[in-house]
């Protein structure tokens, strides 16, 4: 692939994650969006993408704070150093605790600080009576790992597993992060000037998730390969007519919650569905369509928006992310630079 396109894709993934978080956070109250709120969302995107106007920047949340820390650690250390990542997560949390972190992860941070990072495994393992978290907090921050591991999928798997375990040790939480990283990894490799074959994209994800989910350790899940099941559902939804596919049905089938299982597949679906026009989302820009659609599904809007943005940005590259919109997102220049540094580290060594 042409290196300037690949560099644009690295930037696009980091910026896409940021844009989805910033634009999704005002709608993040766990509920579905009313039709009035969807109109507000449409107008808000129109305004942010329109002629420049003076306004306070839209602040990012815990999603981007943790994505930033993870990218910075990989760049500083040139390898995964889980103690350094944990320190950066915790330091940033105590500097800016009001970024919307959930209570679960805050407990992990308190314990990590309490043991002075001598044990970075136990705090996450102790979560939820020793089950570990299946939340989407591992998946929401994983984009830098997909970029860092661009040339080696086994490295991606190992790095995602180890970095996710700092806060999330439930297999469903870890596998959700793997699925999200894999979707970015696949998107980086595709040519955005060619029509995306959505069936192949889902089939490739399914093939990659199969051995990962077979690696079960008797967790007693009712569905032994839950992400493969969600990918099957996604494929079936993709074959339906746009007019008949309501937001309610998508939410009912794929979910929109803080659970990795009910948000990572949703983000991938939003990216794929936005390859074509979607009723009710008025834009010609497929990157915006994907992110706006993800937010319009409600629920965990900042995180599903961010995960969708990271995948869509990795596919389309920076060019499809409106520059006026970026001006309104906090720290967009820093995120662009992180994309460049990860590109230099992984590709242009
Ligand atoms: N949580 C939020 N936002 C609400 C924050 C409100 C805050 N007070 C404020 O506004 O300032 N957002 C962030 O959380 C999501 C990522 O969550 P993460 O990191 O996975 O958290 P956690 O706590 O590990 O899991 C989330 C919830 O899932 C349920 N859960 C997880 N594992 C469970 C298990 N094994 N058994 C039972 N329940 C489990 C719990 O309800 C957890 O609270 C992102 O949206 C991010 O933006
Ligand atoms: Mg969230």
């Amino acid at each position: 692939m042409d290196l300037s396109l690949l560099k644009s894709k690295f930037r696009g993934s980091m910026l896409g994650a940021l844009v989805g978080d910033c634009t999704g956070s005002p709608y993040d109250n766990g509920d579905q969006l009313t039709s009035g709120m969807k109109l507000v969302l449409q107008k808000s995107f129109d305004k942010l993408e329109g002629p420049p106007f003076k306004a306070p920047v839209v602040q990012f949340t815990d999603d981007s704070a943790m994505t930033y820390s993870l990218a910075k650690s990989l760049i500083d250390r040139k390898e995964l150093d889980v103690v350094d990542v944990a320190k950066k997560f915790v330091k940033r949390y105590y500097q800016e605790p009001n970024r919307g972190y959930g209570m679960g992860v805050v407990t992990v941070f308190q314990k990590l600080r309490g043991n002075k990072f001598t044990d970075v495994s136990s705090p996450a393992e102790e979560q939820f009576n020793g089950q570990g978290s299946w939340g989407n907090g591992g998946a929401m921050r994983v984009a830098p790992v997909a970029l860092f591991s661009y040339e080696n999928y086994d490295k991606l798997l190992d790095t995602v597993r180890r970095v996710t375990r700092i806060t999330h040790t439930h297999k469903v939480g870890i596998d959700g992060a793997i699925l999200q990283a894999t979707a970015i990894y696949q998107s980086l490799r595709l040519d955005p000037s060619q029509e995306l074959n959505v069936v192949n994209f889902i089939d490739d994800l399914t093939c990659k998730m199969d051995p990962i989910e077979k690696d079960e350790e008797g967790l007693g899940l009712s569905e032994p390969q839950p992400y493969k099941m969600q990918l099957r559902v996604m494929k079936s939804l993709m074959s339906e007519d746009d007019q008949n596919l309501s937001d309610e049905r998508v939410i009912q089938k794929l979910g929109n919650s803080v659970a990795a299982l009910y948000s990572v597949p949703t983000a991938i679906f939003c990216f794929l569905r936005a390859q074509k026009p979607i009723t009710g989302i008025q834009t010609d820009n497929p990157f915006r369509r994907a992110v706006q659609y993800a937010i319009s599904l409600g629920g965990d809007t900042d995180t599903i928006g961010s995960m969708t943005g990271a995948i869509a940005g990795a596919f389309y590259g920076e060019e499809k992310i409106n520059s006026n919109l970026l001006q309104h997102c906090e720290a967009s220049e820093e995120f662009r630079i992180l994309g460049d540094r990860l590109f230099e580290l992984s590709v242009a060594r």
Side-chain angles (χ1 to χ4, degrees):
M1 178 178 298
D2 174 60
L3 284 187
S4 61
L5 171 60
L6 191 54
K7 185 173 180 177
S8 166
K9 283 167 159 277
F10 272 60
R11 283 183 174 183
S13 189
M14 290 300 292
L15 289 169
L18 176 72
V19 166
D21 179 23
C22 290
T23 53
S25 66
Y27 305 88
D28 183 26
N29 63 7
D31 292 340
Q32 252 180 266
L33 266 65
T34 60
S35 50
M37 284 162 79
K38 286 179 192 171
L39 203 59
V40 170
L41 176 65
Q42 173 73 35
K43 286 189 186 308
S44 159
F45 264 97
D46 291 345
K47 185 158 190 211
L48 294 172
E49 290 193 347
F53 65 98
K54 252 190 134 111
V57 287
V58 187
Q59 299 232 308
F60 63 68
T61 76
D62 58 328
D63 301 55
S64 299
M66 295 182 84
T67 303
Y68 184 98
S69 297
L70 177 50
K72 192 77 178 53
S73 180
L74 292 169
I75 293 163
D76 289 351
R77 301 285 157 146
K78 300 184 175 51
E79 62 177 1
L80 176 64
D81 174 344
V82 286
V83 174
D84 186 63
V85 176
K87 283 182 179 168
K88 283 186 164 60
F89 283 164
V90 171
K91 185 173 175 196
R92 188 147 199 148
Y93 166 70
Y94 280 100
Q95 281 170 346
E96 299 179 325
N98 298 323
R99 291 274 186 188
Y101 293 87
M103 274 322 293
V105 81
V106 170
T107 304
V108 175
F109 292 162
Q110 287 164 342
K111 289 184 179 175
L112 285 169
R113 191 160 86 152
N115 76 32
K116 297 192 168 49
F117 304 94
T118 52
D119 175 6
V120 288
S121 308
S122 303
E125 285 165 3
E126 288 162 9
Q127 290 294 88
F128 302 101
N129 299 319
Q131 280 183 28
S133 170
W134 39 241
N136 57 19
M140 75 185 186
R141 64 184 188 231
V142 85
V145 178
L147 305 181
F148 176 71
S149 314
Y150 171 75
E151 288 189 325
N152 186 336
Y153 187 66
D154 287 335
K155 175 176 159 186
L156 177 148
L157 291 178
D158 179 60
T159 311
V160 173
R161 285 191 175 109
R162 289 195 294 136
V163 80
T164 303
R165 289 186 66 85
I166 297 171
T167 51
H168 292 66
T169 60
H170 196 291
K171 184 160 169 60
V172 174
I174 296 171
D175 287 354
I178 290 176
L179 179 60
Q180 170 68 10
T182 303
I184 296 171
Y185 177 91
Q186 288 188 184
S187 299
L188 288 170
R189 284 170 163 67
L190 294 167
D191 180 353
S193 67
Q194 307 282 314
E195 188 178 340
L196 176 69
N197 185 324
V198 295
V199 171
N200 284 355
F201 193 92
I202 298 172
D203 286 347
D204 287 349
L205 287 175
T206 307
C207 281
K208 293 199 182 77
M209 289 311 287
D210 182 55
I212 289 159
E213 290 201 292
K214 269 194 184 140
D215 183 22
E216 263 308 331
E217 286 158 13
L219 284 169
L221 300 173
S222 54
E223 167 58 56
Q225 294 191 295
Y227 287 100
K228 266 187 77 181
M229 185 187 72
Q230 290 288 71
L231 288 163
R232 266 199 304 279
V233 172
M234 192 190 302
K235 200 168 167 180
S236 148
L237 289 175
M238 283 303 301
S239 69
E240 291 187 23
D241 189 27
D242 174 70
Q243 302 288 330
N244 297 332
L245 195 46
S246 68
D247 291 352
E248 291 70 24
R249 226 168 92 68
V250 172
I251 297 163
Q252 189 233 327
K253 290 281 181 187
L254 290 175
N256 63 0
S257 73
V258 295
L261 186 59
Y262 302 113
S263 55
V264 176
T266 314
I268 297 169
F269 174 77
C270 290
F271 160 63
L272 294 176
R273 189 173 179 201
Q275 300 296 307
K276 299 214 170 108
I278 301 173
T279 306
I281 311 277
Q282 283 148 30
T283 175
D284 292 333
N285 178 326
F287 170 84
R288 166 177 163 180
R289 190 184 299 132
V291 172
Q292 187 180 327
Y293 176 51
I295 298 167
S296 75
L297 292 178
D300 192 1
T301 49
D302 57 349
T303 300
I304 302 178
S306 179
M307 294 191 295
T308 305
I311 303 167
F315 179 68
Y316 295 110
E318 184 191 18
E319 281 67 28
K320 280 275 186 279
I321 307 180
N322 182 286
S323 55
N324 291 341
L325 172 64
L326 280 174
Q327 292 299 317
H328 293 289
C329 295
E330 181 185 5
S332 58
E333 192 46 38
E334 279 107 308
F335 272 69
R336 180 181 286 111
I337 292 169
L338 290 175
D340 286 355
R341 296 287 94 83
L342 286 163
F343 176 75
E344 285 155 18
L345 202 58
S346 323
V347 182
R349 273 168 300 185

